[in-house]
Amino acid sequence: MAPLKSSASSGSDKLKLETIASCKSIPWAERLTGFPVLLRVTAPLERTHRHSVDLVAVLDTSGSMGAPGRMDSVKQAMGFVIDNLGDDDRLSIVPFRRTGNDHLRYPLSEMSEENRTKLKTVVNSLQPGGGDDLESANEAAKILQQRTPDDISSRIGRIIYLSDGTYNVKDIIPDYPANTFGLSASHQPETMRYISDCTSGVYSYVNTKLENIKDAFAQSIGGLTSVTAIDVKIKLQTNEGVSISSIESGSYLHIISSDSQVGTIQINDLYAGEKKNFIVFLSIPEGKDKLITISGLYRNVKISKNDAIQFGKREVVVKRPKASTPSSEVVRPEVAAELVRGKLVKVVSSMATEPQLNNSNLQSLWDGIRNSENGLEAPEKIISNLDKGVTAMQREGKPFMLSWLTSHLRQRATTKDSPSESGDFQTSVMKTMLRLADDAELSEEEESESDSESESDSDEEKKKIQPVPKPAPQLEVKGKLKIMWEKVITCARSNVLPCGALLLLSALLLMLYVRIPVTNPPGMIIVKVDKDDTTSPTDASRHPGWPKMEKSLEVTMLRSMEDFGIASVFHGTSIEEVRDATNKYLYLAIVHASILGSRFRSEDVGTISMLEEKVKSLVAERNALLVKIEALAKEKEEIALSAENCPAVKESDEALQRANTRIVELEKQLRDKKAFAENVMSELNNAEDHLKTCGQRVDMLEDKVREMEGVVIN
């Protein structure tokens, strides 16, 4: 019998298929309709065998793009795209149609250094002007259609479409997925989402910080340049007696045969590390343990140019015990999470067509889903992420809702205004590309700051700069120094050493509490100190009291060692190591005190006291619960031990088993007798019908006889 949770993978560079039944077992006599089975397909993390991309970028150059910052943000984002496409990839630029015949277009070009330079020149030459024209989106599809048959079969054709406008949508060519990007609050989210839906793409948007369009493009390019599988088809074949009730596959095409025995799910492409979850609902007769067999095919021209690559076949099997157990009825967390997510997607889909979002209705429906049986069984992290999405929909409105919806229907990451709101379904390649975009921006800022500082600093000011003290070395928690430090503390409890150390620490904490200014040298420690979770630099070694503390501590320790003869405690450890170890602990104490000093003011003392009392109360409650748990565990062990050694209990168990067996037999006899009674009733009904028919015939004959007798008499 195959395990309940199984996976199939014939190599780290191939797709992996997993199947998870919703529960561990099904009682033998139960018949189920709508039994959920989770299917999960995962692409390999590495993108060594990724497909080459033919990308067409459709960029809005209408008059509205003349608003401050819009065109510059688009140019910067496109520069990042040009720099991060692979050498085997190709790019074409298609601006919106301008007034008259002035229409600039750059054809598909391989990403050589010369072509990268030319494409950047084309992008930088774009100027806003003219009106919106949706035909540019179809023109991008036509560019991809005009490729050679070999290019079409071996290269991925994709479109990115950016606009800030509002217009009516006409016929869209659906042949190539278009990832659409709405720019600024003036864009029309319904139109952007409609284009992405028609072409099997995704919709993203940036409303507030226009510079985030580079992050949006970076995330999209991270996916497009990591396609590891295309034309993925998952095949489902039920075993005899089992049928497919339905399939939940989001916006991915699925087909169920007329006899409900065969089903397929089709996926256009998969990015490296990407996962797709699907739910298959089965109708299962009594006693059936082998439910369904899963297999599949996909293509990767870098591995096999012509032949499709096969998944290994997997069979979903469940246990069918004679009697039910409580554990068998518990839905597995992975399946519960996917069922909850699917219900929320359906709710949001129904609301997406409404003119305005009804926040109270959405919250009420989500609360019902979250508090359902599946919601309580799903992992808390999944519920928390979905809850954040619902909250953001209520706050941000239609753009967030539609971007969230297209993301969850395709199980693919979208940008929802900012990178912080775009974590759902992100792959490792997308995250890497986002870091590249952010690092590039940071390096430019650092470079400009460095240049301005070098110009402003005079020679005299440079001479005044003090050398940075050597930071305390990083010591391991375990080892000789930790043992040494513990022995020092033990010995110091009986001498004057703690007094000196306590005085030094008190003085330092007092200086930090009154907030003596601290300079910020290079190599500073970054700690979070404010409510907005921003970072501010704190380097305790540059504190005015630090050098004096070091010297005083060293003198105090040496004097104490000489007076009390505790040098043997250190086992040959040098005073430098002792000082460094001590410095580390004091260093951490100062940083911790700095954080506390900045966060807690005198007016917060009451709150702190209340929190301390709450902590004490919770600790007391925890200890009381631990005592109860230990008592219950001990009682359980005693009961179990007595049950094992008690013949009466064993005899009772055996009698119970015999009774259960007898009950099953009686139930079978009852079913047989019920069936026999039904047959008898059926025959009785047939006999009654026959008797009625005979009575009708007798009446007819009697009428006929009387009629003949009348004729004879006459």
Side-chain angles (χ1 to χ4, degrees):
M1 179 179 292
L4 185 66
K5 181 175 180 178
S6 57
S7 63
S9 176
S10 54
S12 60
D13 60 343
K14 294 186 178 182
L15 301 190
K16 182 174 69 172
L17 183 65
E18 297 174 275
T19 58
I20 308 174
S22 63
C23 57
K24 295 180 179 180
S25 61
I26 305 172
W28 178 271
E30 282 195 17
R31 298 181 180 183
L32 297 180
T33 301
F35 179 79
V37 174
L38 172 65
L39 307 182
R40 175 179 296 151
V41 58
T42 306
L45 289 174
E46 300 296 330
R47 55 171 181 169
T48 53
H49 301 300
R50 70 117 169 156
H51 289 257
S52 300
V53 179
D54 283 343
L55 179 64
V56 182
V58 181
L59 306 177
D60 191 345
T61 56
S62 60
S64 59
M65 289 296 293
R70 291 189 189 180
M71 206 69 213
D72 291 338
S73 298
V74 173
K75 291 178 181 180
Q76 184 186 31
M78 280 305 303
F80 179 83
V81 172
I82 293 170
D83 287 336
N84 286 278
L85 287 174
D87 294 340
D88 293 335
D89 299 327
R90 298 191 299 186
L91 176 64
S92 173
I93 306 293
V94 178
F96 274 14
R97 293 185 185 276
R98 307 276 296 280
T99 56
N101 296 322
D102 181 18
H103 176 57
L104 179 66
R105 188 183 88 182
Y106 199 83
L108 279 173
S109 304
E110 293 182 353
M111 301 308 292
S112 63
E113 289 303 319
E114 180 181 0
N115 284 336
R116 291 182 198 270
T117 302
K118 289 181 179 179
L119 285 163
K120 288 182 179 180
T121 301
V122 171
V123 170
N124 291 329
S125 66
L126 297 176
Q127 297 297 327
D132 297 319
D133 187 357
L134 196 62
E135 276 301 310
S136 300
N138 286 336
E139 185 173 347
K142 292 175 183 177
I143 291 174
L144 295 173
Q145 288 175 338
Q146 293 168 1
R147 297 175 299 163
T148 65
D150 185 61
D151 286 340
I152 292 175
S153 63
S154 62
R155 305 175 69 89
I156 302 297
R158 294 293 182 267
I159 300 170
I160 56 175
Y161 184 93
L162 180 141
S163 175
D164 70 341
T166 59
Y167 35 77
N168 294 323
V169 177
K170 299 179 181 178
D171 295 333
I172 298 294
I173 299 176
D175 295 352
Y176 298 97
N179 290 350
T180 60
F181 300 86
L183 186 61
S184 81
S186 62
H187 84 277
Q188 191 172 5
E190 291 85 357
T191 301
M192 293 288 100
R193 192 226 170 180
Y194 177 79
I195 296 173
S196 66
D197 282 356
C198 289
T199 59
S200 301
V202 293
Y203 156 60
S204 301
Y205 75 97
V206 173
N207 276 358
T208 53
K209 295 182 179 180
L210 299 182
E211 60 270 21
N212 285 340
I213 194 63
K214 183 168 75 170
D215 290 320
F217 274 17
Q219 179 169 270
S220 180
I221 293 301
L224 295 178
T225 57
S226 63
V227 175
T228 59
I230 60 174
D231 301 334
V232 182
K233 180 179 288 187
I234 302 174
K235 184 178 180 181
L236 321 171
Q237 176 66 63
T238 62
N239 288 349
E240 184 180 358
V242 181
S243 60
I244 301 173
S245 302
S246 61
I247 299 175
E248 287 191 0
S249 59
S251 60
Y252 293 99
L253 177 66
H254 71 263
I255 301 173
I256 302 176
S257 63
S258 58
D259 60 359
S260 301
Q261 301 295 305
V262 179
T264 57
I265 303 173
Q266 298 180 14
I267 308 172
N268 294 338
D269 53 57
L270 281 173
Y271 301 159
E274 199 171 35
K275 295 180 181 180
K276 307 290 184 187
N277 291 329
F278 308 108
I279 294 289
V280 179
F281 293 95
L282 302 177
S283 294
I284 307 172
E286 65 178 53
K288 198 69 177 180
D289 57 349
K290 296 181 179 180
L291 307 182
I292 190 171
T293 301
I294 314 295
S295 60
L297 299 169
Y298 69 97
R299 290 181 57 234
N300 187 321
V301 294
K302 299 294 183 179
I303 299 176
S304 175
K305 189 172 182 64
N306 298 317
D307 298 334
I309 303 169
Q310 291 188 356
F311 290 113
K313 289 186 177 181
R314 303 304 304 179
E315 188 174 43
V316 180
V317 180
V318 295
K319 296 179 180 179
R320 300 303 300 262
K322 296 296 183 182
S324 63
T325 59
S327 61
S328 67
E329 299 176 358
V330 177
V331 179
R332 296 176 68 89
E334 303 97 319
V335 183
E338 191 59 24
L339 291 171
V340 167
R341 190 184 70 84
K343 287 185 178 179
L344 180 58
V345 169
K346 289 180 179 178
V347 167
V348 177
S349 296
S350 65
M351 292 185 172
T353 57
E354 299 175 1
Q356 292 184 345
L357 175 61
N358 188 330
N359 286 345
S360 61
N361 191 24
L362 174 61
Q363 186 63 50
S364 175
L365 292 172
W366 165 236
D367 288 341
I369 296 172
R370 173 170 62 182
N371 296 320
S372 66
E373 181 180 354
N374 290 327
L376 297 176
E377 293 295 336
E380 180 60 30
K381 183 178 180 181
I382 301 296
I383 298 298
S384 177
N385 287 340
L386 294 175
D387 188 63
K388 289 178 182 177
V390 171
T391 301
M393 288 181 219
Q394 296 172 344
R395 182 181 66 248
E396 304 294 337
K398 263 300 180 64
F400 189 100
M401 168 187 271
L402 296 181
S403 185
W404 183 95
L405 185 57
T406 185
S407 174
H408 280 262
L409 284 172
R410 300 203 68 77
Q411 299 183 59
R412 180 157 286 176
T414 61
T415 298
K416 294 174 274 293
D417 197 37
S418 66
S420 62
E421 296 286 359
S422 309
D424 295 337
F425 308 110
Q426 274 184 350
T427 65
S428 59
V429 181
M430 291 178 180
K431 294 176 182 177
T432 300
M433 198 65 74
L434 281 169
R435 285 195 294 269
L436 284 175
D438 293 339
D439 290 343
E441 185 175 354
L442 182 61
S443 64
E444 292 173 1
E445 293 176 359
E446 291 176 342
E447 185 177 355
S448 62
E449 290 176 1
S450 176
D451 293 340
S452 62
E453 290 176 359
S454 63
E455 293 175 359
S456 61
D457 290 339
S458 63
D459 294 337
E460 293 182 359
E461 291 173 337
K462 292 179 181 178
K463 292 180 181 179
K464 295 180 182 179
I465 299 176
Q466 299 296 326
V468 179
K470 182 179 179 180
Q474 298 295 322
L475 302 177
E476 295 183 0
V477 176
K478 296 182 180 179
K480 182 173 69 175
L481 287 177
K482 183 186 177 193
I483 298 173
M484 171 272 297
W485 180 256
E486 293 173 348
K487 290 183 178 180
V488 169
I489 296 300
T490 303
C491 294
R493 288 174 180 171
S494 60
N495 55 50
V496 299
L497 181 58
C499 298
L502 183 59
L503 288 173
L504 289 172
L505 284 174
S506 301
L508 287 171
L509 293 175
L510 178 61
M511 287 187 292
L512 290 169
Y513 185 77
V514 298
R515 299 181 182 179
I516 295 176
V518 181
T519 57
N520 303 320
M524 64 189 72
I525 288 183
I526 302 299
V527 293
K528 297 180 179 179
V529 299
D530 57 13
K531 294 180 180 179
D532 295 331
D533 203 29
T534 57
T535 58
S536 63
T538 300
D539 186 354
S541 67
R542 297 301 300 272
H543 194 285
W546 182 266
K548 184 177 180 180
M549 180 274 298
E550 280 191 310
K551 185 65 177 177
S552 299
L553 180 64
E554 181 176 347
V555 172
T556 302
M557 291 179 64
L558 285 172
R559 186 182 298 116
S560 300
M561 290 165 62
E562 292 173 357
D563 293 344
F564 294 92
I566 61 173
S568 61
V569 174
F570 299 97
H571 296 288
T573 305
S574 66
I575 188 61
E576 287 78 15
E577 288 181 289
V578 176
R579 184 182 63 247
D580 291 338
T582 309
N583 286 352
K584 174 191 174 183
Y585 286 92
L586 292 177
Y587 196 101
L588 295 174
I590 291 172
V591 173
H592 186 62
S594 300
I595 298 172
L596 293 177
S598 62
R599 283 187 175 175
F600 300 111
R601 301 179 296 277
S602 58
E603 58 265 26
D604 296 326
V605 173
T607 303
I608 296 172
S609 301
M610 183 179 66
L611 291 175
E612 290 177 346
E613 292 299 324
K614 182 64 176 178
V615 170
K616 290 180 182 178
S617 174
L618 291 174
V619 170
E621 291 180 9
R622 185 197 65 177
N623 293 337
L625 287 173
L626 288 176
V627 172
K628 291 182 179 179
I629 291 171
E630 290 178 358
L632 290 173
K634 185 176 180 181
E635 182 180 355
K636 181 179 178 181
E637 291 178 358
E638 292 176 354
I639 293 173
L641 183 61
S642 61
E644 290 179 359
N645 299 327
C646 181
V649 173
K650 293 182 179 179
E651 292 176 1
S652 298
D653 289 341
E654 294 174 356
L656 182 61
Q657 289 181 350
R658 290 194 299 271
N660 287 334
T661 303
R662 181 58 179 164
I663 288 171
V664 173
E665 293 175 354
L666 291 174
E667 287 178 345
K668 186 177 183 304
Q669 293 178 12
L670 181 61
R671 287 196 299 270
D672 293 341
K673 290 180 179 180
K674 183 178 179 181
F676 175 76
E678 290 176 351
N679 291 334
V680 171
M681 289 297 297
S682 177
E683 292 177 1
L684 181 60
N685 291 334
N686 293 336
E688 289 178 352
D689 292 339
H690 181 67
L691 184 60
K692 289 180 181 179
T693 303
C694 291
Q696 292 174 355
R697 290 182 178 178
V698 169
D699 292 340
M700 290 175 60
L701 289 172
E702 288 178 349
D703 291 339
K704 190 66 175 177
V705 168
R706 283 193 293 271
E707 181 181 350
M708 293 177 65
E709 288 176 348
V711 172
V712 172
I713 293 172
N714 291 332

